[in-house]
Amino acid sequence: TFAYASFSRGFKAGGYNGLAVFNATAFRAVYEPQEVDAIEVGLKADWADGRVRTNFAVFNNDISGLQQTSAVGTGSFAVHNVGDATVRGIEAELTWLPMAGLRLYTNLGYSDAKYDRLLPTSRAFAFGATDLPLLPDLTHQLGFSYERPVGNGMQLRFGADAAGTSGYFTEIGNTLKVESYTRYDAYLGIGSADGTW
């Protein structure tokens, strides 16, 4: 059993919009650094002689000077500081090894990503956006993998999973949204038992 708590501070440097060559105002504009204070508390544990593993974490990220990229005319994009935001959530994972070679797994994540303060000059403010882009509220996955020897130093591997997400906005103004979906994947392979190929 491993319990932990952490605090970290990270940053993205500021800079100049040197790629906004078709917009003279944006080309000269300077953007400031972005900082994030991250807190995470979690518990990782193995059970049943290592055949069951559970991982659980709670996190909170306070972002100041949030940097976002937006279009500033035809063929030009620029980075701007738009304000402050908070991203908090929970992640949980479960893995079970019921028999030799078989692994069953599932995970679930929930996040709440919101703007706390927006500068009036930002695209998000202009469109009345409330949610950060590309961050769904809910993600989930359920799957299995199986490996077994098939002779002559060879090993058969196959598995499948279903992974999904709730709807999320794809851009800063919260005007374009990807609806919730579930994706199904499967694989079948063969390789050497020692893992060299």
Side-chain angles (χ1 to χ4, degrees), residues 20-23 71-77:
V21 294
F22 299 111
N23 187 304
V72 289
T74 304
S76 288
F77 297 86

Side-chain angles (χ1 to χ4, degrees), residues 77-90:
F77 297 86
V79 179
H80 304 279
N81 298 101
V82 301
D84 305 323
T86 300
V87 181
R88 58 174 57 100
I90 299 172

Side-chain angles (χ1 to χ4, degrees), residues 74-134:
T74 304
S76 288
F77 297 86
V79 179
H80 304 279
N81 298 101
V82 301
D84 305 323
T86 300
V87 181
R88 58 174 57 100
I90 299 172
E91 296 175 343
E93 301 175 350
L94 171 65
T95 303
W96 179 33
L97 309 175
M99 57 183 284
L102 178 62
R103 183 173 70 102
L104 307 177
Y105 57 90
T106 185
N107 58 64
L108 182 69
Y110 170 78
S111 66
D112 180 34
K114 301 293 184 186
Y115 294 109
D116 298 327
R117 178 184 66 90
L118 285 171
L119 298 176
T121 55
S122 68
R123 177 179 171 83
F125 181 89
F127 282 80
T130 57
D131 296 346
L132 273 70
L134 305 176

Side-chain angles (χ1 to χ4, degrees), residues 158-183:
F158 62 91
D161 71 74
T165 177
S166 61
Y168 58 90
F169 294 105
T170 61
E171 50 73 61
I172 297 167
N174 288 179
T175 58
L176 298 174
K177 188 174 185 179
V178 171
E179 297 301 328
S180 60
Y181 66 87
T182 300
R183 185 189 70 241

